[in-house]
């Protein structure tokens, strides 16, 4: 990896992950995977088994598992478990099975590009392998899956370090402690590590640099209210929960030093798809002159999209807006439009923070091209 923003990462920086919330438990030796049911948080902590692709798809579709990096991890591990249980007679059957299962996983969450990128990397790894036997291709696939999974933690440290340095260098303006704002959930519950935007916030807190964090509730699934507040409490970060509609007044009445958000897909020009409501925050940030940062790993950049106009926007079932705890609180026949994401135009973004450097949107494409050749 070639780009560290301000020198090497200190050895002890975010190295200890023992205190974070575990989103999944994976035993490589026993080939067992369980995932935390995020729909039950914060009132109940329950792990459920994932043994194959169908079960991986089920927990992703239901949003028991969510967060773009975590979705990709659960998907490839579900594939790992199933393909190692199969008896495939030849390479053609192996490749057909891999393609079919990969597409099944990709279809679960069309906006989350980490998922597609990870699965495409797996297919490419197998296709370029010179080994023609099923056993050889399976060995190559297994090695690549575990490489992606194991590598996520160190990539996350670089991402959080780069974000930490960016905020300290360009948003503090001599202030010892900062007031930040975020939407949705972008912490350890969305990844296999510390998280993206929330990972940066936790790092700033551990350095004694956080005064307060405003966390948006994030309707209609309330990931901010249920999940982000759980993580902030767990890590002892001072915070205030607000409704999505309070963001404008908060920026008007409180000095917000930076807004940190995640993303499920970033186009090469810097247009960024994230949880619905993020575009609203970017417009408000621009008006109030607040730095606005998407925090994303390399795997979130869609190298095949020049801009955000064609990013697919997932639309969720109407019941998510009409129900509370499974009970209809609004008439079931009420017309509903429920897009899960929106796209923030690049011109509203200060910089895109990544594990390979921090870039104004206009510099992102060149940086991605250079990084992809390393």
């Amino acid at each position: 990896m070639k780009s560290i923003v301000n020198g090497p990462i200190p050895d002890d920086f975010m190295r200890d992950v023992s205190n974070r919330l575990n989103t999944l438990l994976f035993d490589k030796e026993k080939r067992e995977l369980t995932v935390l049911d995020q729909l039950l948080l914060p009132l109940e902590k329950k792990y459920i088994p994932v043994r194959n692709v169908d079960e991986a798809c089920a927990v992703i579709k239901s949003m028991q598992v969510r967060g773009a990096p975590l979705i990709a991890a659960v998907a490839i591990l579900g594939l790992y478990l199933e393909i190692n249980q199969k008896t495939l007679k030849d390479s053609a059957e192996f490749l057909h099975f891999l393609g079919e299962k990969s597409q099944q996983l990709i279809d679960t969450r069309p906006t989350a590009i980490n998922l597609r990128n990870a699965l495409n990397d797996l297919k490419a790894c197998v296709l370029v392998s010179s080994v023609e036997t099923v056993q050889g291709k399976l060995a190559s696939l297994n090695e690549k899956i575990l490489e992606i999974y194991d590598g996520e933690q160190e990539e996350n440290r670089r991402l959080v370090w780069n974000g930490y340095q960016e905020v300290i260098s360009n948003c503090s303006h001599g202030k010892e402690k900062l007031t930040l704002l975020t939407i949705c959930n972008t912490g350890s519950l969305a990844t296999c590590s510390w998280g993206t935007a929330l990972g940066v916030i936790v790092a700033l807190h551990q350095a004694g640099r956080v005064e307060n964090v405003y966390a948006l509730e994030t309707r209609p699934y309330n990931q901010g209210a249920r999940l982000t507040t759980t993580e902030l409490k767990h890590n002892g970060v001072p915070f205030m929960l607000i409704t999505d509609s309070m963001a404008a007044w908060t920026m008007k009445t409180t000095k917000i030093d930076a807004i940190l958000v995640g993303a499920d897909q970033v186009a090469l020009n810097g247009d960024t798809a994230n949880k619905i409501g993020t575009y609203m925050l970017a417009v408000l940030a621009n008006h109030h002159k607040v730095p606005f940062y998407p925090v994303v790993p390399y795997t979130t950049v869609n190298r095949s999209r020049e801009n955000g106009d064609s990013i697919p926007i997932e639309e969720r079932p109407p019941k998510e807006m009409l129900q509370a705890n499974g009970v209809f609180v609004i008439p079931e026949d009420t017309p509903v439009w429920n897009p899960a994401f929106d796209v923030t135009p690049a011109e509203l973004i200060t910089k895109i923070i990544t594990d390979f450097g921090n870039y104004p949107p206009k510099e992102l494409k060149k940086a991605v091209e250079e990084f992809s050749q390393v």
Side-chain angles (χ1 to χ4, degrees):
M1 299 295 179
K2 65 172 185 175
S3 182
I4 298 299
V5 171
N6 281 335
I9 308 176
D11 288 342
D12 60 348
F13 181 82
M14 308 302 279
R15 178 72 73 183
D16 182 11
V17 297
S18 61
N19 189 46
R20 67 178 177 82
L21 294 172
N22 287 313
T23 50
L24 62 80
L25 303 172
F26 177 54
D27 189 319
K28 297 178 189 178
E29 302 302 322
K30 295 181 180 179
R31 289 183 177 169
E32 293 179 352
L33 172 65
T34 58
V35 299
L36 182 63
D37 186 345
Q38 298 193 26
L39 293 179
L40 301 179
L41 292 173
L43 301 179
E44 183 179 352
K45 188 177 180 181
K46 178 183 178 183
Y47 286 86
I48 51 180
V50 172
R51 292 160 291 212
N52 51 47
V53 169
D54 284 348
E55 291 182 353
C57 288
V59 296
I60 293 169
K61 282 184 177 179
S62 67
M63 292 186 67
Q64 290 169 297
V65 163
R66 27 70 52 204
L70 181 62
I71 287 170
V74 171
I76 64 172
L77 292 177
L79 176 62
Y80 172 82
L81 294 174
E82 179 163 347
I83 204 164
N84 279 282
Q85 297 168 7
K86 297 288 290 186
T87 300
L88 300 167
K89 62 183 180 181
D90 54 34
S91 293
E93 187 176 20
F94 180 91
L95 293 173
H96 176 77
F97 180 84
L98 177 60
E100 182 180 60
K101 293 299 179 178
S102 295
Q103 192 59 51
Q104 181 183 350
L105 287 161
I106 287 170
D107 289 343
T108 59
R109 300 298 303 272
T111 309
I113 194 62
N114 304 57
L115 173 62
R116 183 181 294 271
N117 282 341
L119 290 164
N120 285 343
D121 285 349
L122 295 181
K123 289 188 286 185
C125 167
V126 172
L127 289 172
V128 300
S129 173
S130 59
V131 181
E132 290 299 326
T133 65
V134 172
Q135 293 79 8
K137 290 188 178 300
L138 181 60
S140 296
L141 182 69
N142 287 343
E143 182 179 359
K144 187 65 175 178
I145 288 174
L146 295 177
E147 175 189 317
I148 293 172
Y149 173 69
D150 291 335
E152 196 264 359
Q153 183 174 320
E154 189 59 28
E155 290 169 4
N156 189 245
R157 284 184 71 236
R158 280 192 293 273
L159 173 64
V160 173
W161 170 249
N162 287 351
Y164 173 87
Q165 292 292 314
E166 176 69 30
V167 174
I168 292 294
S169 300
N170 297 311
C171 302
S172 61
H173 304 296
K175 292 174 62 176
E176 182 64 26
K177 294 199 172 188
L178 307 174
T179 300
L180 309 168
L181 189 149
T182 191
I183 187 171
C184 197
N185 173 256
T186 56
S188 60
L189 292 173
T191 68
C192 299
S193 302
W194 282 105
T196 56
L198 199 58
V200 175
I201 291 171
V202 170
L204 290 164
H205 167 69
Q206 290 185 356
R209 301 301 299 270
V210 174
E211 179 72 31
N212 194 26
V213 177
Y214 286 93
L216 271 64
E217 61 175 351
T218 323
R219 287 281 296 147
Y221 244 98
N222 285 5
Q223 294 101 325
R226 293 187 301 106
L227 306 179
T228 297
T229 62
T230 298
E231 291 204 58
L232 291 170
K233 282 182 181 178
H234 180 80
N235 289 288
V237 183
F239 73 93
M240 191 76 69
L241 177 67
I242 62 174
T243 68
D244 296 357
S245 58
M246 293 175 186
W249 191 241
T250 301
M251 289 186 219
K252 172 73 173 177
T253 58
T254 304
K255 171 57 179 172
I256 303 296
D257 295 298
I259 296 174
L260 299 166
V261 303
D264 283 67
Q265 188 169 159
V266 179
L268 289 173
N269 74 332
D271 290 350
T272 301
N274 191 45
K275 180 56 59 186
I276 190 75
T278 306
Y279 174 37
M280 169 191 73
L281 287 184
V283 172
L284 293 171
N286 184 64
H287 177 76
H288 292 283
K289 297 180 172 50
V290 178
F292 184 89
Y293 296 107
V295 183
V296 301
Y298 173 73
T299 51
T300 300
V301 179
N302 189 337
R303 281 104 61 195
S304 67
R305 275 188 210 285
E306 289 294 326
N307 57 61
D309 292 343
S310 59
I311 291 177
I313 299 300
E314 178 186 356
E315 296 190 15
R316 301 286 300 173
K319 67 180 181 181
E320 293 179 0
M321 291 180 63
L322 303 177
Q323 292 182 344
N325 295 325
V327 178
F328 281 97
V329 294
I330 300 171
E332 190 173 353
D333 61 353
T334 302
V336 169
W337 182 42
N338 187 17
F341 302 90
D342 54 29
V343 177
T344 298
E347 60 265 25
L348 296 178
I349 292 171
T350 306
K351 282 184 183 178
I352 297 172
I353 294 170
T354 79
D355 52 313
F356 58 97
N358 304 336
Y359 303 97
K362 65 182 179 181
E363 298 177 10
L364 180 66
K365 182 177 179 179
K366 181 179 179 182
V368 168
E369 290 172 349
E370 291 177 351
F371 184 73
S372 65
Q373 296 171 7
V374 174

